Amino acid sequence: MLSYRWKRTRLIQGQGKADFIDYDELQVDKSVTIGDKTYGAGAEDGGDTEQGVAKGTTFQWHINSELNQNVDTYSQYELVDTLPYQNDWRTMTLNLTYQDASGALKTTSLLQMTANRMNTGAGTTYTTNQNGVNGITYNAATAPTVTALGDAMTADGIELSGSGSRYAVKDGKLDASQSVADGTIMLSVTENGRKQLATKMAELLASGAAKDGTWQLSWNLDVVANQGTQPGEMVNKVDLNYKTAFDQDTDSDTAKTFVKGSGTPTIHDTPTKGGGVLPYTAGVMGIGLTILGLLGLAHLLKKRRAED
């Protein structure tokens, strides 16, 4: 769902002329879908207070982030999602959302991302950057599979990096004596990806399929409530970090749901399209945590905020 909020326009004066230049403050919106109902769309820090989830529940977090037709002139456009430790992501999709001539919402499918060998609770780090990034070493076994869903963007249009959640389970319950850590997913639109988006926008406008207005990237995360899940509130936060020709800023939003009940259903291993396995069981805690990768990602987040 698109969320329209105020924008500002800068007046540039000089040499007897004035030009009005699109000077948007880009914003991001977070929502959650439980079953067939979405909560928190278009609202700041909203979410589900009605249904909740239990261990083994699959549901979706949604991120809608603004961008403009001149996205090819941006030097940075990245989304950083802090995934609650009770969640494991399985697949994600990225779409371009816009309005057609009648004002109806339309989407162009861009990419699908599939997790590979993300061992639940182990804090597994991953990146699609073969040179490594943010202190995370590239590992082909854990690198997510990125697949183009159309002709608008190629797989190298984004770069993914992050870490899975970290927790321990004892006797079928979260081990409160052990520390927990949320997962983190960073999606950076590369220079090539920014150019491809600008080209696609121009094509949609030229054909009359879209009208000039607010464009958004729609990033949808399919997740499962894992074995670390326990009753209480579950909050997901996203940060949009961007640098345009006129501005450098960060916008954030959160969405929430809650955990209900205390049953422990049987959660089976799930094959992925990338050939890996997502083992949603508690018997994987022997897998080591790459501390360097987590510290590198945390350092980058602090650096981004310090630059703003």
Side-chain angles (χ1 to χ4, degrees):
M1 177 177 180
L2 285 176
S3 170
Y4 294 97
R5 289 180 263 184
W6 68 271
K7 302 175 185 296
R8 65 184 181 185
T9 302
R10 169 173 287 181
L11 175 63
I12 302 206
Q13 297 178 318
Q15 300 299 319
K17 70 175 182 178
D19 295 319
F20 287 90
I21 299 177
D22 191 4
Y23 189 64
D24 288 357
E25 289 185 330
L26 304 181
Q27 296 178 321
V28 65
D29 183 65
K30 191 68 181 277
S31 60
V32 60
T33 295
I34 311 294
D36 60 357
K37 192 169 183 179
T38 298
Y39 303 88
E44 185 175 358
D45 302 332
D48 162 39
T49 59
E50 297 179 350
Q51 297 191 65
V53 300
K55 290 182 181 179
T57 301
T58 56
F59 60 104
Q60 295 80 39
W61 297 107
H62 304 289
I63 299 165
N64 288 326
S65 58
E66 293 181 319
L67 70 166
N68 295 320
Q69 294 166 233
N70 64 338
V71 62
D72 56 328
T73 68
Y74 295 4
S75 56
Q76 177 191 20
Y77 192 95
E78 67 183 22
L79 292 160
V80 181
D81 189 72
T82 303
L83 195 64
Y85 74 87
Q86 307 100 319
N87 295 181
D88 295 323
W89 73 271
R90 293 182 172 181
T91 60
M92 304 185 291
T93 58
L94 189 67
N95 305 303
L96 177 64
T97 303
Y98 59 94
Q99 289 182 308
D100 67 13
S102 69
L105 294 182
K106 301 291 184 180
T107 62
T108 291
S109 297
L110 300 174
L111 301 171
Q112 177 171 293
M113 296 141 274
T114 305
N116 287 315
R117 301 190 184 279
M118 291 292 293
N119 296 313
T120 187
T124 308
T125 58
Y126 58 86
T127 180
T128 58
N129 187 328
Q130 296 190 16
N131 296 316
V133 66
N134 305 331
I136 299 175
T137 302
Y138 176 76
N139 182 340
T142 61
T145 302
V146 182
T147 306
L149 295 177
D151 59 0
M153 182 180 282
T154 54
D156 64 352
I158 64 166
E159 180 181 284
L160 280 177
S161 60
S163 64
S165 62
R166 178 163 52 89
Y167 63 88
V169 172
K170 184 177 182 180
D171 298 328
K173 298 180 180 180
L174 182 70
D175 186 350
S177 69
Q178 303 296 316
S179 63
V180 300
D182 292 335
T184 303
I185 311 171
M186 179 181 289
L187 186 156
S188 298
V189 182
T190 65
E191 180 180 3
N192 188 42
R194 297 192 296 269
K195 290 178 180 178
Q196 291 175 330
L197 285 172
T199 297
K200 188 61 180 180
M201 292 178 186
E203 290 176 355
L204 290 168
L205 287 169
S207 68
K211 71 175 184 178
D212 196 4
T214 298
W215 304 76
Q216 295 200 358
L217 280 184
S218 299
W219 185 20
N220 305 299
L221 288 67
D222 298 313
V223 302
V224 63
N226 59 37
Q227 293 286 348
T229 300
Q230 60 181 347
E233 192 173 65
M234 185 184 293
V235 181
N236 189 323
K237 180 176 183 287
V238 65
D239 294 294
L240 166 63
N241 303 313
Y242 63 90
K243 293 180 184 179
T244 73
F246 309 108
D247 199 10
Q248 173 183 343
D249 209 346
T250 296
D251 189 50
S252 302
D253 194 24
T254 63
K256 65 182 179 180
T257 183
F258 62 96
V259 180
K260 57 185 180 181
S262 57
T264 307
T266 301
I267 304 177
H268 302 287
D269 291 353
T270 303
T272 70
K273 291 184 179 179
V277 174
L278 299 173
Y280 294 95
T281 63
V284 295
M285 294 308 298
I287 301 213
L289 170 65
T290 307
I291 298 296
L292 179 61
L294 291 176
L295 292 176
L297 199 57
H299 175 72
L300 180 67
L301 296 179
K302 291 180 180 179
K303 181 179 178 182
R304 296 296 192 202
R305 293 191 178 101
E307 292 175 346
D308 294 339

